[in-house]
Amino acid sequence: MTPTITAFAQSPDRGKALARDMRIRWALEEVGQPYTVRRISFSEMKEPGHLGRNPFGQIPTYEEGDLVLFESGAIVLHIAECHRGLLPDDAQARARAITWMFAALNTVEPPIFNRTIALVMERDKPWHEERLPILEDRVRVRLGELSGHLGDADWLDGAFSAGDLLMVTTLRWLSASKLLGEYPNLAAYVARAEARPAFKRAFEDQLAVFHAHAGAA
Ligand code: GTB
């Protein structure tokens, strides 16, 4: 059964694939599962139809027959459990890969997302200039720790996994900043992931949608 995911009708990141639907697109491309995309506007996200898919009125969501899921991490885990390629077969290695999924979402994403929010929504606040370096130092703490773990390995724990997929989509929120470049092994890690054919297909698909609808809002 072909799953349907939801994504922004008008990508606020102008085609950079920073919204969390990219996680789902990329995961589906990695496992070779075709999918359809339902593009929804900001107002549609808060209407009953979409609130039935996600009570928080956000994207992405995932529909597969009667199954309706929200939360990008849960969706990627579901895809990884239903297909080969994103989680190792060995039980302990699989548990470690799932640990990295949680680490990406619960430990690394919060400081990075707080910085993103500050840049997008708080630039006009009188305390913004004072707060931003504090937020950036919190990001540096996590990047330093992650960089220390990764060392010169290609991926976080053996073969590429759903843990890497979630970690890279989180680190990409720093692509426009100099922060990632302070940790050359992390910058190379993100570049290595972005070079994967599945990432490129997912990126090009969402970019094509952006170009097709640019200026239509
Ligand atoms: N925890 C949920 C998940 O992982 O699925 C969070 C979902 C979420 O935040 N969705 C956002 C949304 O629907 C889109 S991705 N927002 C509308 C709303 O809440 O009303 C958010 C996003 C967009 C762009 C960047 N960026 O440019 O760095 C980062 C994150």
Side-chain angles (χ1 to χ4, degrees):
M1 179 171 298
T2 303
T4 298
I5 69 170
T6 50
F8 284 135
Q10 302 294 331
S11 170
D13 64 26
R14 305 192 57 77
K16 295 192 185 72
L18 297 174
R20 291 180 175 93
D21 60 288
M22 181 60 186
R23 293 171 170 168
I24 318 306
R25 294 172 182 271
W26 185 10
L28 289 166
E29 293 288 351
E30 287 283 350
V31 302
Q33 171 63 56
Y35 58 98
T36 57
V37 180
R38 181 185 296 120
R39 299 168 50 254
I40 56 174
S41 66
F42 279 95
S43 59
E44 284 169 326
M45 288 163 66
K46 309 303 175 192
E47 289 170 6
H50 190 66
L51 290 172
R53 296 180 204 111
N54 179 343
F56 304 108
Q58 296 186 313
I59 61 99
T61 59
Y62 176 97
E63 290 154 82
E64 180 194 324
D66 292 341
L67 178 67
V68 183
L69 298 175
F70 60 97
E71 285 298 330
S72 57
I75 299 169
V76 170
L77 181 58
H78 172 73
I79 294 165
E81 285 184 327
C82 292
H83 303 266
R84 295 181 67 84
L86 284 172
L87 286 174
D89 290 335
D90 174 76
Q92 289 200 357
R94 195 177 181 91
R96 288 197 305 273
I98 293 171
T99 299
W100 279 111
M101 296 177 71
F102 278 83
L105 301 179
N106 285 355
T107 302
V108 178
E109 179 176 307
I112 293 179
F113 195 60
N114 286 343
R115 173 187 173 274
T116 303
I117 292 292
L119 288 172
V120 175
M121 302 179 74
E122 298 172 357
R123 273 188 193 277
D124 58 340
K125 305 292 183 199
W127 34 261
H128 175 73
E129 293 298 324
E130 204 174 341
R131 182 163 190 255
L132 189 59
I134 297 170
L135 295 177
E136 297 205 320
D137 279 346
R138 286 184 192 148
V139 171
R140 283 190 182 92
V141 169
R142 288 293 178 252
L143 295 185
E145 291 159 343
L146 187 65
S147 170
H149 168 82
L150 184 67
D152 58 7
D154 280 354
W155 309 115
L156 291 169
D157 189 327
F160 177 84
S161 79
D164 294 294
L165 187 152
L166 292 179
M167 190 65 80
V168 167
T169 51
T170 299
L171 295 176
R172 290 188 72 248
W173 292 343
L174 299 172
S175 296
S177 87
K178 293 183 179 150
L179 282 166
L180 206 55
E182 294 175 18
Y183 305 85
N185 66 336
L186 294 185
Y189 170 61
V190 171
R192 192 178 303 120
E194 290 177 339
R196 293 178 70 84
F199 178 94
K200 289 185 184 173
R201 284 194 298 275
F203 186 93
E204 290 305 325
D205 278 2
Q206 63 81 39
L207 187 61
V209 173
F210 169 73
H211 284 316
H213 300 277

